[in-house]
């Protein structure tokens, strides 16, 4: 019976796995100017890098990080992608003389899009669902590369999106650039996911000719893993029920940065209601969802002072003056 359950869980996880269409990873011999856009949470990053081949490696790189206004995370698809394309156009305009585009080449962009996507090629894929606080219904089922390319056109930016990957596969590629033996990558950030290199002939979903390399990178989407064996508490269950996507991304809600601070807030609220943690009054701000962020929690977790001074100061910053811990 246990073996049967394990097979069923394996089949469920296999349905969440996605073929990435990445069948070769960097060798360290690449040359030229390349751009990257990384969209995977409440911030996105734009990057340019000049690669000098086996000898020069990373000659120079520059990066900028931009916060996404909250209203764009639940607005329209065009508003979101136009905001991203405008920031990218501004970044390209600041390109210095140290960066050189190979003659006859168009600027190329690698698009790291860290949300569940069904890919149909290395540079196209439709959004399955939003996670991590995004909720734009019209983008679901749309090709995110086409959405971005249209926004780049509206900006008058001559740039081609040549690859669509998620941050886990990007991390795997970066690891392989430095070390030929790297075969897997794990993300523990706003969300969580893993990717690994699989033999293409071992992939049941693969149809058609096998890639020349014989390999294929698999995007596990393990944030969506769920099992009766996961240790869900009442706080996890309540958070999931009140989330934008109840019943989904259960593993991600247990361990990722998007949710850990909120879980702690819910625990503190119950302790305050049942044990007068902050005295007779419940701090009003403690009732506000997501007011306690994971970075706050991390700072408190690292407090080694005898009187937990950092914990007290951070709670005061977040909640106002909650009184004295009892």
């Amino acid at each position: 019976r246990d073996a049967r359950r394990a097979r069923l869980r394996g089949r469920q996880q296999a349905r969440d796995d996605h073929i990435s269409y990445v069948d070769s990873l960097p060798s360290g011999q690449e040359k030229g100017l390349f751009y990257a856009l990384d969209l995977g949470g409440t911030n996105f990053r734009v990057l340019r890098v000049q690669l000098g081949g086996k000898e020069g490696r990373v000659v120079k790189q520059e990066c900028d990080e931009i916060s996404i206004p909250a209203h764009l995370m639940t607005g329209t698809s065009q508003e979101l992608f136009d905001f991203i394309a405008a920031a990218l156009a501004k970044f390209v305009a600041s390109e210095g003389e140290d960066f050189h585009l190979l003659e006859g080449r168009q600027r190329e962009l690698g698009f790291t899009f860290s949300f569940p996507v069904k890919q149909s090629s290395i540079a196209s894929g439709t959004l399955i669902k939003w996670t991590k606080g995004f909720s734009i219904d019209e983008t679901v089922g749309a090709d995110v590369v086409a959405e971005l390319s249209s926004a780049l056109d509206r900006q008058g930016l001559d740039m081609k999106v040549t690859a669509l990957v998620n941050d886990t596969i990007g991390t795997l590629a970066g690891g392989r650039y430095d070390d030929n033996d790297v075969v897997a990558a794990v993300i523990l950030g706003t969300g969580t996911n893993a990717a690994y290199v699989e033999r293409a002939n071992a992939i049941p979903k693969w149809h058609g000719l096998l890639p020349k390399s014989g390999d294929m990178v698999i995007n596990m989407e393990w944030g969506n893993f769920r099992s009766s064996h996961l240790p869900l508490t009442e706080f996890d269950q309540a958070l999931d029920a009140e989330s934008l996507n109840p019943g989904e991304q259960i593993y991600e809600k247990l361990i990722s940065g998007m949710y850990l601070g909120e879980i702690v807030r819910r625990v503190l609220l119950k302790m305050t209601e049942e044990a007068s943690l902050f005295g007779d009054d419940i701090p009003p701000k403690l009732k506000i969802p997501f007011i306690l962020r994971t970075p706050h929690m991390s700072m408190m977790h690292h407090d080694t002072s005898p009187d937990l001074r950092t914990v007290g100061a951070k709670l005061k910053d977040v909640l106002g003056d909650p009184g004295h811990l009892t």
Side-chain angles (χ1 to χ4, degrees):
R1 189 179 301 144
D2 288 342
R4 182 172 178 272
R5 281 201 202 101
R7 286 196 299 273
L8 287 171
R9 286 198 301 275
R11 283 199 289 271
Q12 174 61 52
Q13 188 60 42
R15 284 196 291 272
D16 291 331
D17 290 347
H18 296 296
I19 295 169
S20 67
Y21 291 89
V22 174
D23 58 18
S24 63
L25 291 165
S27 64
Q29 300 185 35
E30 293 77 13
K31 288 185 178 181
L33 171 62
F34 302 94
Y35 276 81
L37 166 64
D38 177 9
L39 173 62
T42 52
N43 298 332
F44 69 91
R45 291 179 295 174
V46 288
L47 174 142
R48 60 175 152 252
V49 60
Q50 188 80 40
L51 298 179
K54 192 172 184 179
E55 301 301 323
R57 308 292 285 180
V58 177
V59 178
K60 186 172 183 179
Q61 66 177 4
E62 294 176 340
C63 182
D64 195 14
E65 187 164 345
I66 300 101
S67 292
I68 299 174
H71 71 276
L72 292 181
M73 295 172 67
T74 55
T76 69
S77 189
Q78 182 168 327
E79 287 172 341
L80 175 63
F81 282 98
D82 279 352
F83 178 80
I84 293 168
L88 181 58
K90 183 178 178 181
F91 184 67
V92 172
S94 69
E95 182 181 293
E97 294 181 359
D98 292 338
F99 294 91
H100 310 286
L101 194 63
L102 294 178
E103 191 173 343
R105 293 285 290 271
Q106 183 184 21
R107 282 183 181 80
E108 295 177 284
L109 177 74
F111 184 18
T112 301
F113 184 76
S114 304
F115 300 91
V117 164
K118 182 177 182 181
Q119 287 203 226
S120 47
S121 74
I122 188 63
S124 62
T126 56
L127 176 65
I128 296 172
K129 62 184 176 184
W130 288 107
T131 58
K132 293 176 278 195
F134 283 79
S135 183
I136 306 173
D137 289 343
E138 63 183 301
T139 320
V140 176
D143 184 341
V144 293
V145 172
E147 294 286 310
L148 176 60
S149 297
S150 295
L152 295 178
D153 289 342
R154 289 191 289 272
Q155 288 292 325
L157 190 56
D158 183 22
M159 180 175 276
K160 182 181 180 182
V161 182
T162 54
L164 172 69
V165 298
N166 69 14
D167 57 349
T168 324
I169 295 169
T171 300
L172 177 58
R176 178 63 70 88
Y177 186 82
D178 289 323
D179 183 345
N180 239 5
D181 293 329
V182 170
V183 295
V186 173
I187 292 290
L188 289 167
T190 303
T192 184
N193 195 8
Y196 70 99
V197 180
E198 179 64 276
R199 297 297 299 168
N201 60 11
I203 303 171
K205 292 181 180 181
W206 182 257
H207 303 291
L209 295 174
L210 293 174
K212 289 181 181 179
S213 68
D215 293 332
M216 182 63 65
V217 175
I218 297 296
N219 165 25
M220 291 188 69
E221 289 298 343
W222 79 6
N224 202 35
F225 178 73
R226 63 180 304 164
S227 164
S228 59
H229 297 287
L230 288 176
L232 292 173
T233 68
E234 62 182 277
F235 307 105
D236 299 307
Q237 291 167 341
L239 183 150
D240 175 52
E242 296 168 25
S243 68
L244 291 170
N245 53 347
E248 300 178 0
Q249 300 299 115
I250 298 298
Y251 189 49
E252 184 166 272
K253 288 169 183 171
L254 283 175
I255 67 170
S256 76
M258 178 79 186
Y259 302 101
L260 287 178
E262 172 62 7
I263 292 169
V264 172
R265 181 197 69 83
R266 289 169 180 268
V267 173
L268 289 177
L269 180 59
K270 182 166 185 179
M271 292 172 69
T272 304
E273 290 171 340
E274 296 188 358
S276 302
L277 181 64
F278 298 117
D280 294 334
D281 298 321
I282 298 174
K285 288 186 177 180
L286 189 57
K287 296 182 179 181
I288 301 173
F290 290 95
I291 194 168
L292 186 66
R293 312 296 295 183
T294 300
H296 302 145
M297 186 198 75
S298 180
M299 289 180 70
M300 291 189 282
H301 180 68
H302 285 92
D303 184 4
T304 56
S305 61
D307 58 353
L308 299 178
R309 189 173 304 167
T310 300
V311 173
K314 186 51 62 178
L315 285 174
K316 188 172 181 179
D317 287 347
V318 175
L319 303 176
D321 188 357
H324 298 287
L325 292 173
T326 58

